[in-house]
Amino acid sequence: MDFSLNEEQLAIRNTCREFAEQEIKPLAEEMDHSGKFPYALIQKMGELGLLGLPFPEQYGGAGADFLSYCLAIEEISRGDVSVGITMEAHTSLGASPFYLFGSEEQKQRYLPALTSGKQLWAFGLTEPEAGSDSGGTQTRAVLRDGHWHINGSKAFITNAGTEITSGVTITAITGQRSDGRKEISTIIVPKGTPGYTIGNAYKKMAWKASDTRPLSFEDCVIPEKDMLGERGDGFKQFMQILDAGRVAIAALSVGLAQACLDEALNYAQTRKQFGQPIGKFQAIQFKLADMDMEIELARLMYWKAAWLHMQGKPYSREASMAKLFASETAKRAADQAVQIHGGYGFMDEYPVSRYWRSVKINEIGEGTSEVQRMIIAKSLGL
Ligand SMILES: Cc1cc2nc3c(=O)[nH]c(=O)nc-3n(C[C@H](O)[C@H](O)[C@H](O)COP(=O)(O)OP(=O)(O)OC[C@H]3O[C@@H](n4cnc5c(N)ncnc54)[C@H](O)[C@@H]3O)c2cc1C
């Protein structure tokens, strides 16, 4: 077994670590206060090739492997998770469906602008009445005169409303299967299409500089050819997209947990009580040791899931385990990081206060912790 990273993986990790430290981290507090989308950072990340990492060069991507992409997500999220989730949602949810299921014409048409980061793309699966039960979608697309007529709504869609977003891929009911179940398909909806309305950005507990919006479709007309993949494949497609997305979210959680450890370790070495740095007290040392151990384990779990994916082997179970464990690790790490900071950890000017607010969503987005446990239980034959 070889746990070493190859030269390319190390180079991508180092570039992202440096970029996060120098360019992202100094802006993190201000982004959290203002909630403004970080256009300048996203542009720089696009220029570095970070917004198209796991796609082939022929579509403008960097041609990196999936683990490199996850390493990049970890490092960028260590700098700031709003930026990390913008990159993750754009890559795993926005661009991947084109690459995985699009026709050659669709790949050529959409991917270069997305992989360069000049444009962003969103993925609309969740609806007001269909969250964990994503197959419970109610949005409908009816085929008439060679066009899909879409009616319905979507909730909590990341990257849907930025100035550089060019569209959203949505799931919709397009008919009924022979067994009576809904036929769900995936349709490309460019921004500006009449009948497609992007709602106001939600006010959130954290991830404030990430763009999240409700969407509605009222007699929104899309040419029949702008379906992604085969009609009726929607459910299968988003399961595939979410598996890979969960590995990336695990990496994001590890980045955030590592940021908690970075801050807590630094604080423990400088804050003095009873005449010595609090890091000299065994109670504090054990908290830091536990954080370090759990982060290492969570990291290895996403590495393994990414490795299985790259080998073309089944990895749903490992993706769910990695996402579940990493998000709960980040929650524990943030809690201990605030505890180590004492009262200062409760103050906004200390990053750990922001980290504590930020960890919660990792247990919800791209499948809640309950959903991950359901997937793992199913793999046990339950
Ligand atoms: C900031 C943010 C960004 C997001 N970005 C996107 C995006 O880009 N695209 C997108 O499509 N979606 C996005 N989502 C939606 C996200 O994936 C959903 O919020 C998530 O899947 C949960 O759905 P829900 O919120 O409707 O909760 P619900 O499904 O209503 O769940 C409520 C609670 O019930 C539990 N529960 C539900 N069913 C079961 C069950 N069978 N057994 C046990 N417990 C159960 C859940 O685990 C949860 O604790 C985003 C959400 C947020 C908050």
Side-chain angles (χ1 to χ4, degrees), residues 282-294:
Q282 200 178 46
I284 301 290
Q285 289 176 359
F286 281 11
K287 287 187 201 301
L288 293 164
D290 284 348
M291 285 161 81
D292 193 28
M293 174 188 68
E294 285 200 25

Side-chain angles (χ1 to χ4, degrees), residues 85 89 93 122-133 154-159 204 206-207 210 212 361 363-371 374:
I85 191 59
L93 308 181
F123 181 66
L125 172 66
T126 306
E127 297 186 5
E129 304 302 328
S132 300
D133 179 15
K154 297 284 170 182
F156 308 135
I157 307 307
T158 304
N159 288 338
K204 305 191 292 281
W207 281 8
S210 151
T212 323
I361 181 61
E363 296 181 294
I364 296 170
E366 296 196 33
T368 63
S369 293
E370 289 78 8
V371 166
M374 281 155 61

Side-chain angles (χ1 to χ4, degrees), residues 38-330:
Y39 289 103
L41 273 181
I42 296 300
Q43 190 186 340
K44 283 185 193 168
M45 287 167 68
E47 285 160 9
L48 281 174
L50 299 181
L51 294 172
L53 274 175
F55 306 109
E57 287 166 16
Q58 69 185 110
Y59 304 117
D65 63 22
F66 184 70
L67 179 58
S68 300
Y69 161 59
C70 293
L71 294 167
I73 292 283
E74 178 186 335
E75 295 302 332
I76 296 296
S77 305
R78 188 173 172 182
D80 181 66
V81 269
S82 283
V83 180
I85 191 59
T86 300
M87 175 179 167
E88 192 277 340
H90 169 71
T91 311
S92 291
L93 308 181
S96 281
F98 286 108
Y99 178 60
L100 292 172
F101 317 120
S103 64
E104 192 50 39
E105 190 272 328
Q106 288 168 334
K107 287 182 203 179
Q108 299 284 357
R109 179 149 47 117
Y110 290 102
L111 278 175
L114 303 184
T115 53
S116 65
K118 291 197 172 83
Q119 294 178 3
L120 296 176
W121 197 274
F123 181 66
L125 172 66
T126 306
E127 297 186 5
E129 304 302 328
S132 300
D133 179 15
S134 41
T137 187
Q138 294 179 356
T139 297
R140 279 188 183 274
V142 177
L143 190 58
R144 253 194 337 258
D145 305 327
H147 288 82
W148 296 105
H149 294 248
I150 308 173
N151 283 284
S153 55
K154 297 284 170 182
F156 308 135
I157 307 307
T158 304
N159 288 338
T162 77
E163 286 164 19
I164 54 170
T165 298
S166 47
V168 61
T169 305
I170 60 156
T171 49
I173 304 168
T174 48
Q176 200 175 22
R177 295 178 178 279
S178 49
D179 60 7
R181 286 186 301 143
K182 290 170 183 170
E183 176 194 85
I184 298 176
S185 307
T186 308
I187 299 173
I188 302 166
V189 183
K191 191 164 152 187
T193 306
Y196 169 33
T197 307
I198 303 168
N200 292 332
Y202 295 98
K203 293 201 187 318
K204 305 191 292 281
M205 183 196 290
W207 281 8
K208 295 196 187 228
S210 151
D211 181 83
T212 323
R213 301 188 186 242
L215 311 177
S216 66
F217 304 88
E218 227 182 293
D219 295 324
C220 172
V221 181
I222 298 290
E224 183 178 4
K225 67 174 177 45
D226 287 346
M227 174 165 279
L228 205 53
E230 296 298 317
R231 181 171 175 169
D233 273 357
F235 193 81
K236 205 168 68 185
Q237 290 172 345
F238 68 69
M239 286 297 162
Q240 202 176 325
I241 292 164
L242 287 176
D243 273 349
R246 283 166 186 158
V247 185
I249 292 292
L252 178 146
S253 293
V254 170
L256 181 52
Q258 184 65 53
C260 292
L261 177 57
D262 296 343
E263 292 298 322
L265 184 58
N266 180 45
Y267 190 80
Q269 286 164 333
T270 49
R271 171 71 173 170
K272 286 193 177 144
Q273 286 295 281
F274 300 97
Q276 54 183 331
I278 57 170
K280 292 280 180 204
F281 303 128
Q282 200 178 46
I284 301 290
Q285 289 176 359
F286 281 11
K287 287 187 201 301
L288 293 164
D290 284 348
M291 285 161 81
D292 193 28
M293 174 188 68
E294 285 200 25
I295 292 167
E296 187 64 13
L297 182 49
R299 184 175 287 121
L300 289 176
M301 288 174 81
Y302 94 67
W303 282 23
K304 181 181 175 190
W307 178 82
L308 286 169
H309 181 30
M310 281 155 49
Q311 303 300 309
K313 296 180 195 283
Y315 70 104
S316 292
R317 171 178 168 270
E318 287 76 8
S320 285
M321 284 182 169
K323 198 251 177 194
L324 175 61
F325 187 75
S327 57
E328 294 189 350
T329 293

